[in-house]
Amino acid sequence: MKYRTMANVGKNLSLLGFGCMRLPVIDGADAHIDEAKAIQMIRDGIDCGINYIDTAYMYHGGNSEVVVGKALKDGYREKVWLADKLAAWYAKEPEDLDTIFEEQLRRLDDDYIDLYLIHNIDEANWKRVLRLGVIDFVKQLKEDGKIGHYGFSFHGSSAAFFKEVLDYTDWEFCQIQFNYMDTHIQAGLEGLLYAGEKGIPVVVMEPLKGGKLIDELPPTVQAYFDQLGSTRSPVDWALSWVADFPEVMTILSGMNTPQQLVENIDILSVSEPNSMSDEELQILENAAAEYNKLIRYGCTKCQYCMPCAVGINIPTIIDYLNQYSQYAGSEKIVNDFKMFIQPTRKVPSTCVQCGKCEDACPQHLKIMTAMSESAAIFEQGENNAR
Ligand SMILES: NC(=O)c1ccc[n+]([C@@H]2O[C@H](COP(=O)([O-])OP(=O)(O)OC[C@H]3O[C@@H](n4cnc5c(N)ncnc54)[C@H](OP(=O)(O)O)[C@@H]3O)[C@@H](O)[C@H]2O)c1
């Protein structure tokens, strides 16, 4: 296993971190973790040198923390940095933050979290974080000796907003979504480099875009990877590309089979920063461009179409539709969509075809058609009356 130094605190972290959001489950039920298998995999990973374990309050319906706690018994806790995340959106009042934190410790059966992140900062959550004083709360936890270091995970809409959050306080680390397809969304490459300039260690999530970059590749994308006679697998291409950035400290992958664990350990046991050749980097750039040709609607997320008259989140639904046509693992996209739409959000079939969005769209996209297509793809078997 390769290690990189978290320079600001002088610790070595494994280049591969174990993301505990996609642990093996029984009967496809997300909350029903296959405990024996998951515990064995986490311990095997640690035995092979992984020392960064990432969980969160909400993963697997709260059971990820419980299983991680169990996996870290029998001497494993001392071998790792345990990262957990505060889901501030469950808090209505500042006092609720402490209730959540104490519940996390109870689930983990622990009294200390090494790396504590404010979870999922986006524009809406950021307002809540500021209103509830969440940053002061995590700093106080550090002063009280309950956590080691504080950071945040980011899913906001732009590098500019990422920089604003990063500059707001003296964060000790951060976590961003980053892979060779996501260089220009969320924090993106610009955000990664900015954090690097500031000396803030970056943990990467979704290096395989949740697995979408390795399911059956479109033939035109595969053709690029077949160039140079390279023997790299799609996983190797994707992980090595992320590891090539010296600004990246740890790469989290959610692994749910022992084979995935072994493969990812093997890849990140040899990856060095700045080691990919220009030809290899070009191949990945070409592959990304090829994937992007499969985008169905050229939405720039300018939001001119919003607000929708009936409350549909048009840009996000178009994004799912585009991903559906880009990635062969389309079942994953349907599942992601269902998770996104679940709480109280409006499904595309509630579109009343008023056309106001199309009038406003500077790209002249056929948004009403996109809503009908999305409904047909994503709402099969659903109760569309929500
Ligand atoms: N803070 C946040 O807001 C946030 C958000 C997302 C993730 N995270 C954290 O970051 C971690 C990493 O993100 P991620 O789980 O999306 O990572 P990822 O590595 O992009 O995707 C994981 C998925 O990729 C597939 N996979 C992994 N290794 C493979 C291999 N060797 N061969 C074939 N398939 C492989 C598996 O898909 P299949 O299931 O299809 O086998 C697995 O479920 C998460 O587990 C979580 O801890 C945090």
Side-chain angles (χ1 to χ4, degrees):
M1 176 61 58
K2 291 283 178 193
Y3 295 85
R4 293 192 182 174
T5 306
M6 193 171 169
N8 51 351
V9 299
K11 296 280 181 197
N12 281 340
L13 269 65
S14 53
L15 185 52
L16 176 64
F18 206 123
C20 298
M21 186 181 79
R22 302 184 201 268
L23 294 169
V25 296
I26 294 169
D27 296 334
D30 186 58
H32 196 179
I33 299 172
D34 185 335
E35 270 197 33
K37 196 172 166 192
I39 290 172
Q40 190 61 51
M41 279 180 63
I42 294 170
R43 290 184 174 184
D44 286 348
I46 298 169
D47 289 339
C48 291
I50 290 179
N51 70 6
Y52 191 115
I53 307 293
D54 178 89
T55 185
Y57 184 71
M58 52 175 284
Y59 292 170
H60 292 288
N63 290 329
S64 172
E65 291 176 328
V66 175
V67 171
V68 165
K70 289 183 184 174
L72 297 184
K73 297 289 176 211
D74 303 328
Y76 281 90
R77 176 68 181 91
E78 292 68 36
K79 298 179 182 175
V80 301
W81 287 69
L82 172 59
D84 203 346
K85 311 191 195 77
L86 173 60
W89 60 91
Y90 288 109
K92 291 201 166 51
E93 305 298 335
E95 302 75 68
D96 299 337
L97 299 170
D98 206 44
T99 309
I100 295 171
F101 180 71
E102 291 301 328
E103 189 182 355
Q104 291 184 288
L105 291 184
R106 260 198 312 281
R107 286 180 186 171
L108 291 163
D109 193 18
D110 207 328
D111 57 7
Y112 184 77
I113 293 169
D114 301 278
L115 299 163
Y116 199 49
L117 301 94
I118 301 175
H119 199 173
N120 188 18
I121 289 191
D122 59 12
E123 282 79 351
N125 254 331
W126 184 233
K127 285 189 190 130
R128 185 181 296 113
V129 163
L130 297 180
R131 182 171 56 80
L132 294 175
V134 182
I135 297 173
D136 288 342
F137 173 75
V138 295
K139 287 186 176 181
Q140 189 60 49
L141 288 178
K142 179 173 170 161
E143 258 186 68
D144 295 346
K146 292 181 174 175
I147 63 166
H149 304 284
Y150 52 84
F152 66 98
S153 72
F154 185 81
H155 283 296
S157 69
S158 68
F161 177 54
F162 175 73
K163 291 178 184 179
E164 183 187 325
V165 175
L166 207 64
D167 288 340
Y168 189 83
T169 192
D170 53 350
W171 301 105
E172 298 179 281
F173 69 109
C174 63
Q175 183 172 314
I176 63 169
Q177 176 173 329
F178 192 60
N179 55 62
Y180 70 83
M181 286 305 294
D182 290 341
T183 51
H184 290 88
I185 65 160
Q186 300 187 15
L189 179 57
E190 189 181 335
L192 174 73
L193 299 181
Y194 187 70
E197 274 167 30
K198 290 185 67 127
I200 299 177
V202 179
V203 175
V204 164
M205 58 185 150
E206 309 206 27
L208 306 174
K209 211 166 167 58
K212 294 176 200 112
L213 295 181
I214 50 176
D215 291 314
E216 193 189 337
L217 304 188
T220 48
V221 173
Q222 183 67 52
Y224 280 110
F225 287 127
D226 292 341
Q227 288 177 4
L228 295 180
S230 169
T231 54
R232 284 185 195 272
S233 64
V235 186
D236 191 344
W237 278 107
L239 292 181
S240 299
W241 182 85
V242 177
D244 208 51
F245 290 89
E247 295 81 3
V248 171
M249 180 179 66
T250 288
I251 302 173
L252 302 175
S253 184
M255 298 159 285
N256 52 48
T257 65
Q259 294 74 13
Q260 293 179 353
L261 176 66
V262 169
E263 183 174 11
N264 296 1
I265 288 172
D266 284 349
I267 294 165
L268 295 178
S269 294
V270 294
S271 298
E272 294 284 358
N274 297 317
S275 64
M276 288 189 108
S277 68
D278 289 346
E279 283 118 314
E280 286 178 314
L281 293 173
Q282 189 58 53
I283 281 177
L284 282 158
E285 212 177 306
N286 293 343
E290 205 55 45
Y291 265 126
N292 283 332
K293 281 189 200 159
L294 300 172
I295 285 178
R296 213 187 294 207
Y297 289 91
C299 170
T300 62
K301 299 204 173 103
C302 70
Q303 307 275 334
Y304 281 32
C305 55
M306 298 289 279
C308 158
V310 292
I312 296 172
N313 186 336
I314 296 169
T316 304
I317 285 174
I318 290 185
D319 185 43
Y320 280 110
L321 192 56
N322 281 333
Q323 288 196 48
Y324 186 84
S325 55
Q326 277 180 289
Y327 303 108
S330 39
E331 199 185 315
K332 278 199 185 98
I333 322 277
V334 175
N335 290 337
D336 284 357
F337 174 85
K338 285 183 177 159
M339 261 166 56
F340 159 76
I341 213 78
Q342 238 164 21
T344 49
R345 304 185 209 216
K346 287 274 183 176
V347 289
S349 61
T350 54
C351 170
V352 292
Q353 305 273 312
C354 68
K356 286 188 184 140
C357 50
E358 291 194 3
D359 292 342
C361 176
Q363 311 302 323
H364 310 295
L365 300 180
K366 301 245 172 281
I367 296 175
M368 292 186 285
T369 311
M371 292 304 114
S372 304
E373 285 176 9
S374 305
I377 291 169
F378 296 122
E379 295 179 52
Q380 302 146 1
E382 293 279 298
N383 172 9
N384 296 350
R386 271 177 296 178

